[in-house]
């Protein structure tokens, strides 16, 4: 997962501080997520998926499909 979130950030020419600000955390903590030194909490993985317009499964390396899943029907 660490390589995928870093690649997503670099593909959009963003700095770690930009992504950290979107996640409401500091840059040093986000850097640890990218390097795999700290596990990325599910809540932040969800926010990152929304931020990049992809799925959590893509960020986790469970699929190579970048396109997010269509929204499900809610009752």
């Amino acid at each position: 997962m660490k390589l995928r979130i870093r690649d997503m950030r670099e593909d959009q020419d963003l700095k770690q501080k930009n992504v950290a600000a979107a996640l409401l955390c500091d840059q040093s903590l986000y850097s640890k997520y990218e390097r795999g030194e700290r596990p990325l909490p599910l809540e932040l993985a969800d926010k990152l998926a929304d931020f990049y317009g992809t799925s959590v499964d893509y960020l986790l390396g469970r699929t190579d499909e970048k396109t997010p899943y269509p929204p499900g029907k809610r009752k």
Side-chain angles (χ1 to χ4, degrees):
M1 182 175 65
K2 64 182 179 179
L3 295 178
R4 187 127 314 156
I5 64 173
R6 183 175 136 196
D7 289 344
M8 293 290 290
R9 177 180 58 79
E10 290 176 345
D11 287 349
Q12 295 193 20
D13 295 323
L14 296 170
K15 303 280 186 198
Q16 286 182 345
K17 67 179 181 180
N18 303 120
V19 180
L23 297 178
L24 304 175
C25 69
D26 68 32
Q27 180 272 328
S28 63
L29 177 59
Y30 180 75
S31 177
K32 290 176 183 178
Y33 295 144
E34 274 195 0
R35 293 192 313 260
E37 293 176 11
R38 299 233 5 215
L40 181 66
L42 183 58
E43 178 182 313
L44 294 185
D46 186 47
K47 285 183 182 182
L48 274 177
D50 288 344
F51 181 78
Y52 289 122
T54 193
S55 68
V56 173
D57 280 347
Y58 180 77
L59 294 178
L60 296 176
R62 295 180 56 154
T63 182
D64 290 328
E65 181 60 47
K66 284 186 179 181
T67 307
Y69 305 118
K73 294 182 181 178
R74 294 185 180 189
K75 294 181 180 181

